[in-house]
Amino acid sequence: MKRSKVMKKILFQIAFLFFVFQSTKAQEVLRLEDAVQIALKNNYDIRLASTDLKIDEANVGVANAGMLPKVDATFTKNNSIQNSKQTQSNGVERELDNAKNNTTSYGVNLGWTVFDGLKMFARYDQLRSLQKQGETELKLTVMTKVSSVMSSYYDLVQQQHLLKALDTTIVISKQRLKTADNRFIIGKASKLEVLNAQVDLNADISNLLKQKEVFQNAKISFNELLARETDTDFTVVEMGKIDENLQLTELRELVKSQNPELQLALINKKVAESNLKQVKANRYPVVRLNAGYNFNESQSSLGFTSQSTARGLNYGVSASINVFNGFLQHRNEKIAKLQVENSTTLIEQQTKTIDTQLAMAYQTYKTNLELMKLEKENEAIAKRNLEITLDKFKIGTIPTIEFRNAQENYITAIARHTTAKFQAKISEVVLQEITGSIKF
């Protein structure tokens, strides 16, 4: 009998450890750094932008710019069967049915544009600018997604913190219900007080269930953002310390050198300038070198020559220049210049827009820092008020409604403090995104 109890105890411990292991295994602790890395690896927009960059990188080359010669190997063979009739100069006529004629030619030919008004060099510079454009677009995509991951992660931290606060208020409500019940038993409270305590406890449990739903839905959306299974369960850790020392002057300097949108505007101007150079190059002559080695053979059943063969090297140079094309050259240059002017205007517009966004975001950041400090003080005050109220409630010196108000004020203070910290952290992330200084 004793041995049976020992075995049951051992089996219970094993089952308990297995349950704990499975629970731990099923619910991972997801840190922000890990979430960012998962997003960088899985997110569809980042993967598409990475592929586009690889295409831009592959396009950069002297061959694609037209700087290298072109070599072609050719082979041609033609056969014909014809009824032929010839009248020679001396009046003699020759006629042959089903006359066969065969020609064969093959060889290697080289063509090389050695001068085109420096158009090929402008094209090469444009290809390199397009590669930088792809790199900047990838950086912008990554920063946008990382910013979304950070914001969503901190929102999960906020929701998780609210869950803990609601758990705390349920504990307090249960203590209140127990106290009211004890007072009712000894005749110091009415049944109404017990019922009110039970109703408030049920209301707190209802709020907890609703908050759990919000938290679970937020986790599902976060898993979608990470491009992984939406039912993956995890917990998050508390948000890191908020940087309270950001300065607007330093942030403006970072914007000039790191903001991806501003960098894209500058690169687009370089692309437009390279395009203008290519258009202007059409005014200059195009010089090409050509060379080749060819073999030709022909056979004819009727004629002065029944068979001929030729082989050898050919080479030469050609030049061409556009003299008149219906004023299209003037039109194309005008359009290319206007595109450069537009790109300059867009840089000015983008600079002003980003500076406005930065100034507004910085003002929001400073306000949220002040609110965070204020709400922290309010939470401490509300907590102290609840402790005092709870002590008075236990000895029956205050009414139930006053205790409930103190309890609700405490939960509200926790929620407001949590929201203030979340908004302050989000303001910091927004500033990092504008200045292009998000670390990933």
Side-chain angles (χ1 to χ4, degrees):
M1 186 71 177
K2 186 175 182 181
R3 182 178 299 177
S4 176
K5 290 183 178 180
V6 173
M7 289 300 296
K8 288 182 179 179
K9 185 177 181 181
I10 293 175
L11 291 173
F12 174 78
Q13 291 175 346
I14 293 174
F16 177 76
L17 291 174
F18 178 78
F19 173 78
V20 172
F21 173 76
Q22 291 295 327
S23 299
T24 306
K25 182 179 179 181
Q27 193 174 45
E28 64 172 320
V29 177
L30 183 63
R31 300 183 181 277
L32 177 59
E33 297 81 4
D34 299 330
V36 169
Q37 292 304 315
I38 292 173
L40 292 177
K41 180 180 178 182
N42 295 344
N43 186 267
Y44 298 112
D45 291 335
I46 294 177
R47 289 161 60 183
L48 290 172
S50 299
T51 303
D52 290 339
L53 175 58
K54 291 178 181 178
I55 294 174
D56 293 333
E57 291 173 345
N59 282 330
V60 178
V62 292
N64 199 24
M67 296 182 180
L68 297 182
K70 182 181 180 182
V71 179
D72 295 319
T74 61
F75 175 83
T76 304
K77 184 173 179 63
N78 294 315
N79 302 302
S80 65
I81 300 176
Q82 297 176 334
N83 296 327
S84 300
K85 182 177 180 180
Q86 295 180 352
T87 301
Q88 299 179 353
S89 59
N90 56 10
V92 177
E93 293 185 354
R94 300 179 63 189
E95 186 175 354
L96 179 65
D97 292 337
N98 298 323
K100 295 182 179 180
N101 300 293
N102 303 320
T103 59
T104 302
S105 65
Y106 55 86
V108 178
N109 297 285
L110 177 145
W112 190 4
T113 301
V114 294
F115 181 76
D116 61 354
L118 304 180
K119 184 177 182 179
M120 62 182 74
F121 295 98
R123 174 60 179 165
Y124 184 72
D125 290 339
Q126 187 180 53
L127 291 174
R128 291 195 300 178
S129 296
L130 290 173
Q131 179 185 351
K132 291 181 180 179
Q133 184 184 66
E135 293 172 352
T136 306
E137 287 175 345
L138 175 60
K139 180 181 178 182
L140 177 60
T141 301
V142 169
M143 288 186 57
T144 301
K145 293 305 174 183
V146 170
S147 176
S148 297
V149 169
M150 295 174 71
S151 300
S152 299
Y153 187 90
Y154 293 137
D155 179 61
L156 284 171
V157 174
Q158 177 191 19
Q159 301 300 333
Q160 185 171 267
H161 200 272
L162 290 176
L163 273 178
K164 294 179 180 179
L166 291 174
D167 282 333
T168 300
T169 195
I170 287 177
V171 172
I172 297 173
S173 294
K174 287 181 177 179
Q175 292 179 355
R176 173 192 165 194
L177 177 60
K178 183 178 180 181
T179 301
D181 191 54
N182 290 336
R183 292 175 61 187
F184 172 72
I185 292 174
I186 62 176
K188 290 188 175 182
S190 64
K191 186 63 176 179
L192 180 61
E193 183 176 326
V194 177
L195 294 176
N196 286 333
Q198 184 66 60
V199 169
D200 291 337
L201 173 60
N202 291 341
D204 293 336
I205 294 175
S206 176
N207 291 333
L208 178 63
L209 292 174
K210 293 177 181 178
Q211 181 58 37
K212 284 183 177 180
E213 178 188 3
V214 173
F215 184 55
Q216 290 299 325
N217 287 337
K219 288 202 291 186
I220 291 173
S221 298
F222 192 68
N223 282 326
E224 181 185 10
L225 182 61
L226 300 186
R228 63 179 189 173
E229 295 297 330
T230 55
D231 58 351
T232 303
D233 198 11
F234 61 93
T235 58
V236 293
V237 298
E238 292 294 327
M239 67 180 68
K241 186 178 179 181
I242 300 172
D243 188 354
E244 302 181 22
N245 300 314
L246 298 178
Q247 300 298 323
L248 184 58
T249 304
E250 297 176 358
L251 294 175
R252 283 198 169 108
E253 292 300 320
L254 288 175
V255 164
K256 294 178 182 179
S257 60
Q258 296 183 177
N259 181 270
E261 294 178 338
L262 184 57
Q263 295 301 314
L264 276 176
L266 293 171
I267 293 172
N268 287 335
K269 182 182 179 182
K270 291 183 179 179
V271 172
E273 290 172 343
S274 297
N275 183 63
L276 176 60
K277 291 179 181 179
Q278 293 179 70
V279 173
K280 286 184 175 181
N282 292 327
R283 288 186 176 273
Y284 297 90
V286 178
V287 180
R288 295 184 177 90
L289 299 179
N290 56 81
Y293 188 87
N294 294 280
F295 172 84
N296 295 284
E297 181 182 35
S298 64
Q299 295 179 350
S300 176
S301 299
L302 183 66
F304 291 103
T305 303
S306 62
Q307 183 175 355
S308 67
T309 303
R311 70 180 67 192
L313 179 68
N314 62 80
Y315 54 91
V317 61
S318 65
S320 63
I321 187 170
N322 173 33
V323 179
F324 180 74
N325 63 351
F327 302 106
L328 288 178
Q329 179 64 27
H330 177 72
R331 168 188 171 276
N332 292 338
E333 286 187 17
K334 184 178 180 180
I335 291 175
K337 289 179 181 178
L338 290 174
Q339 290 174 339
V340 173
E341 292 179 8
N342 272 348
S343 63
T344 303
T345 304
L346 287 173
I347 291 175
E348 296 175 358
Q349 181 188 35
Q350 194 69 35
T351 301
K352 181 62 67 175
T353 300
I354 293 173
D355 186 67
T356 302
Q357 292 175 349
L358 179 65
M360 295 175 64
Y362 187 77
Q363 183 59 49
T364 302
Y365 162 76
K366 298 296 289 184
T367 301
N368 287 333
L369 288 181
E370 293 298 323
L371 288 174
M372 182 181 68
K373 295 176 182 178
L374 177 62
E375 296 302 341
K376 182 179 180 181
E377 295 177 1
N378 285 340
E379 181 182 343
I381 294 172
K383 181 180 180 181
R384 181 56 182 158
N385 181 56
L386 178 61
E387 291 172 348
I388 295 173
T389 305
L390 180 60
D391 291 337
K392 290 183 177 181
F393 177 74
K394 289 180 179 179
I395 61 177
T397 57
I398 60 172
T400 302
I401 186 65
E402 187 174 339
F403 174 78
R404 183 61 179 176
N405 288 337
Q407 184 183 8
E408 290 178 343
N409 288 338
Y410 176 58
I411 298 304
T412 301
I414 292 177
R416 290 172 59 178
H417 183 208
T418 301
T419 302
K421 287 195 296 184
F422 169 71
Q423 293 297 337
K425 194 63 179 179
I426 294 302
S427 299
E428 180 187 347
V429 172
V430 170
L431 288 174
Q432 290 175 346
E433 183 178 3
I434 294 175
T435 56
S437 57
I438 291 181
K439 296 180 181 180
F440 47 86

